[in-house]
């Protein structure tokens, strides 16, 4: 006898329909075919134990499970539930006339209970309009329920799924108002710029970075507040729109990073990996390709603290996703593409001891150590960072000052206005949404400056020893500063402010 159950395979952040065909006939043993990995092959043991715990019998005949199409790799333990239901239907132990109306996924425990799985949101999006509903572990139901037009049936065990399919029990489909959920949690940040005393020049630099989508590196001694400031950057970025929220949630769903109560990510991600991270963990990959930190930071911020302490190979793999805003991971049989559009915020000490250029403490590094420390960051990577910001320690008087500072909300309002100007400017230009994304030919077209501005820029490049790569960066940042000021033209004061954010390009910076 033959039974069909429908499931799904996830590659990258996309889901593909999979038909689980189960045949029970003469012979013995259980065979799973259709390009399964080791976890799928092991499901036969979990399925047999779960079926016995549900007081059914595992057929003492030949059982063939075919996962079609056979040219797509089937990975993970989420096929347990559809395989178990297919075995019971094919052996005539259950009558489930509605079985083929649902997409069914879930990992079985040996006692028949269900464990949560990864990648539920892409599966639910793919199932909408093609199936009546989605039967899945109850812990994943909140995640799937943000997809409208699909009956989400959360079950806790194999037996509960059987009772529902045989109409012995009724399980109310879980429904969630996605828009209400989205707007109720939007901009819910714990960290706020109002808690930061002093550092007005750094706040201004981060406001410019947020307004134009620019990458930033902060250079300063230990304890100057670099990490504290970086953690507050997401609170001044424009709010996620619903499309971005769904896109971000899909990535976290595939990575298994969503909690059972969290159905939708509504705030911009902030990822801060340790400097011992491997290149695979940063950009993604593995035998079963999974999103790395750069994809988990999609639509948000990737913070690399103590940048020179990261392995050189790790930093070099950042170059391509910083330019293309996605990462392609190739394997022999397939290529997986993960989105990776993030703002890079890096921080570093100015030297190994941390006190080069410190106003009060003396640097004890030997001659040449500062330059060698800086050389740990390659020129091509530094070339993709628009703002170099020097952070100095805050005085006791400013720390003790009880005066309330400007809140993230008021800064964010200015950032949103500047982004609206850019949205209008780049309307119709594919994949360009902010000033930081402009290619060089577009910079010359959009960031035009008058003669006074050209003279200022020429003088700055000659006197400060700025490299040629600083030219485009200065123009992009000055365009953002002009957008914040609400002016069409780039004025000399905008250029002057942008020039000061190129510290590491100066030939004499490291002495």
């Amino acid at each position: 006898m033959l039974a069909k159950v429908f499931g799904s395979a996830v590659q990258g952040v996309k889901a593909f329909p999979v038909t689980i065909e189960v045949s029970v006939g003469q012979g013995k043993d259980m065979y799973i075919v259709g390009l399964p990995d080791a976890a799928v092959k092991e499901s036969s043991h979990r399925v047999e134990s779960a079926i016995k715990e549900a007081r059914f019998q595992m057929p003492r005949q030949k059982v063939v499970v075919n996962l079609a199409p056979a040219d797509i790799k089937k990975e993970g333990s989420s096929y347990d539930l559809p395989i178990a239901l297919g075995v019971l239907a094919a052996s005539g132990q259950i009558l489930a006339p509605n079985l083929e109306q649902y997409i069914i996924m879930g990992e079985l425990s040996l006692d028949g209970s269900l464990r949560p799985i990864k990648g539920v949101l892409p599966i639910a999006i793919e199932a909408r309009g093609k199936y009546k509903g989605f039967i899945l572990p109850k812990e994943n139901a909140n995640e799937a329920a943000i997809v409208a037009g699909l009956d989400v049936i959360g079950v806790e065990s194999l037996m509960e799924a059987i009772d529902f399919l045989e109409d012995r029990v009724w399980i109310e489909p879980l429904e969630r108002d996605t828009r209400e959920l989205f707007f109720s949690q939007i901009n819910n940040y714990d960290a706020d710029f109002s808690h930061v005393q002093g550092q007005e020049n750094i706040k201004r630099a981060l406001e410019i970075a947020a307004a134009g989508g620019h990458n930033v590196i902060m250079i300063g001694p230990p304890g100057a507040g670099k990490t504290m400031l970086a953690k507050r950057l997401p609170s001044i970025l424009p709010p996620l729109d619903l499309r971005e929220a769904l896109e971000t949630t899909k990535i976290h769903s595939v990575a298994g990073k969503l909690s059972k109560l969290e159905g939708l990510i509504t705030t911009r991600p902030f990822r801060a990996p340790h400097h011992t991270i491997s290149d695979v963990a940063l950009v993604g990959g593995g035998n079963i390709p999974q999103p790395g930190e750069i994809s988990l930071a999609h639509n948000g911020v990737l913070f690399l603290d103590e940048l020179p302490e990261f392995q050189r190979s790790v930093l070099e793999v950042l170059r391509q996703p910083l330019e293309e805003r996605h990462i392609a991971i190739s394997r022999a049989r397939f290529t997986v593409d993960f989105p990776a559009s993030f703002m890079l915020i890096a921080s570093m000490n100015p030297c190994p001891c941390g006190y080069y250029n410190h106003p009060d403490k003396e640097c004890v590094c030997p001659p040449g150590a500062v330059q060698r420390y800086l050389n740990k960051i390659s020129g091509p990577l530094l070339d993709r960072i628009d703002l170099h910001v020097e952070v100095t320690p805050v005085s006791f008087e400013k720390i003790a000052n009880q005066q309330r500072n400007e809140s993230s909300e008021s800064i964010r309002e200015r950032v949103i206005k500047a982004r609206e100007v850019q949205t209008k400017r780049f309307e119709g230009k594919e994949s360009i949404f902010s000033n930081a994304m402009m290619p060089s030919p577009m910079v010359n077209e959009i960031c035009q400056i008058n003669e006074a501005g050209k003279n200022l820029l020429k003088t700055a490049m000659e006197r400060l020893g700025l490299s040629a790569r600083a030219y485009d960066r200065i123009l992009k940042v000055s365009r953002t500063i002009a957008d914040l000021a609400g002016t069409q033209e780039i004025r000399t004061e905008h250029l002057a402010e942008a020039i000061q954010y190129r510290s590491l390009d100066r030939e004499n910076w490291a002495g």
Side-chain angles (χ1 to χ4, degrees), residues 374-394:
L374 182 60
N375 286 343
K376 290 184 178 182
I377 308 169
S378 70
L381 177 62
L382 206 59
D383 187 32
R384 289 161 172 80
I385 299 177
D386 296 347
L387 284 85
H388 308 163
V389 185
E390 294 187 60
V391 184
T392 54
V394 182

Side-chain angles (χ1 to χ4, degrees), residues 40-187:
V40 179
K41 290 177 180 177
E42 290 170 354
S43 68
S44 60
H45 304 292
R46 295 188 295 271
V47 165
E48 181 174 1
S49 177
I51 286 176
K52 288 180 179 178
E53 288 294 324
R55 298 186 179 178
F56 291 94
Q57 293 296 320
M58 188 70 184
R60 298 304 171 196
Q61 297 169 279
K62 180 180 178 181
V63 178
V64 179
V65 179
N66 179 40
L67 308 175
D71 59 342
I72 295 178
K73 184 78 171 176
K74 318 304 184 307
E75 298 162 333
S77 54
S78 56
Y79 296 97
D80 291 358
L81 180 59
I83 289 174
L85 291 170
V87 168
L88 292 173
S91 59
Q93 297 182 68
I94 65 170
L95 297 174
N98 299 325
L99 188 62
E100 296 185 12
Q101 295 183 20
Y102 292 90
I103 193 165
I104 303 172
M105 299 294 283
E107 177 187 343
L108 284 170
S109 299
L110 296 181
D111 63 358
S113 61
L114 284 168
R115 299 178 184 273
I117 60 174
K118 297 179 181 179
V120 164
L121 183 56
I123 295 172
I125 292 172
E126 174 65 24
R128 180 173 55 187
K130 299 176 182 177
Y131 299 92
K132 178 183 178 183
F134 187 2
I135 298 175
L136 75 170
K138 197 167 187 176
E139 291 185 45
N140 292 120
N142 278 331
E143 183 183 338
I146 67 175
V147 179
L150 186 71
D151 288 353
V152 175
I153 310 298
V155 293
E156 295 182 341
S157 65
L158 171 62
M159 194 65 234
E160 190 176 357
I162 294 170
D163 287 341
F164 172 77
L165 288 167
E166 293 199 317
D167 295 327
R168 285 197 292 271
V169 298
W170 168 249
I171 300 174
E172 188 71 30
L174 181 62
E175 294 182 2
R176 303 185 78 186
D177 188 327
T178 307
R179 292 189 176 276
E180 182 181 344
L181 173 68
F182 175 70
F183 288 111
S184 67
Q185 297 181 10
I186 197 169
N187 293 333

Side-chain angles (χ1 to χ4, degrees), residues 144-400:
I146 67 175
V147 179
L150 186 71
D151 288 353
V152 175
I153 310 298
V155 293
E156 295 182 341
S157 65
L158 171 62
M159 194 65 234
E160 190 176 357
I162 294 170
D163 287 341
F164 172 77
L165 288 167
E166 293 199 317
D167 295 327
R168 285 197 292 271
V169 298
W170 168 249
I171 300 174
E172 188 71 30
L174 181 62
E175 294 182 2
R176 303 185 78 186
D177 188 327
T178 307
R179 292 189 176 276
E180 182 181 344
L181 173 68
F182 175 70
F183 288 111
S184 67
Q185 297 181 10
I186 197 169
N187 293 333
N188 186 20
Y189 296 99
D190 295 327
D192 194 280
F193 272 101
S194 63
H195 305 146
V196 180
Q197 298 295 340
Q199 303 290 26
E200 300 305 323
N201 58 324
I202 317 301
K203 293 178 188 177
R204 168 65 177 171
L206 292 179
E207 179 181 338
I208 294 167
H214 302 287
N215 300 322
V216 182
I217 185 167
M218 294 185 285
I219 314 103
K226 301 185 294 293
T227 303
M228 176 186 65
L229 288 158
K231 286 181 177 178
R232 283 159 173 75
L233 181 61
S235 68
I236 64 171
L237 288 171
L240 286 173
D241 59 34
L242 191 53
R243 178 191 61 80
E244 289 177 321
L246 286 169
E247 199 174 52
T248 305
T249 306
K250 279 170 66 176
I251 298 169
H252 286 249
S253 172
V254 169
K257 300 293 185 182
L258 289 178
S259 70
K260 60 184 179 182
L261 299 176
E262 186 179 30
L264 185 67
I265 292 176
T266 57
T267 55
R268 294 195 178 271
F270 180 87
R271 305 294 299 184
H274 192 260
H275 61 77
T276 56
I277 192 172
S278 68
D279 50 356
V280 171
L282 186 67
V283 301
N287 292 329
I288 303 174
Q290 291 291 302
E293 289 292 331
I294 63 171
S295 294
L296 293 171
H298 181 62
N299 291 322
V301 174
L302 178 69
F303 177 51
L304 301 183
D305 197 9
E306 303 300 340
L307 190 66
E309 302 302 324
F310 284 78
Q311 295 179 45
R312 183 72 173 246
S313 62
V314 171
L315 294 181
E316 290 306 297
V317 296
L318 275 175
R319 288 160 54 181
Q320 182 251 343
L322 278 171
E323 286 289 325
E324 300 183 8
R325 300 189 178 269
H326 70 92
I327 182 72
I329 300 168
S330 298
R331 293 291 177 267
R333 292 179 177 271
F334 59 90
T335 297
V336 173
D337 195 89
F338 291 113
S341 181
F342 58 90
M343 279 182 65
L344 174 65
I345 308 299
S347 74
M348 61 178 285
N349 292 335
C351 66
C353 79
Y355 296 110
Y356 180 75
N357 280 345
H358 194 283
D360 303 317
K361 298 184 180 181
E362 186 177 350
C363 176
V364 296
C365 296
V370 178
Q371 189 61 54
R372 286 195 299 273
Y373 190 69
L374 182 60
N375 286 343
K376 290 184 178 182
I377 308 169
S378 70
L381 177 62
L382 206 59
D383 187 32
R384 289 161 172 80
I385 299 177
D386 296 347
L387 284 85
H388 308 163
V389 185
E390 294 187 60
V391 184
T392 54
V394 182
S395 65
F396 173 79
E397 289 75 15
K398 288 186 177 178
I399 294 174

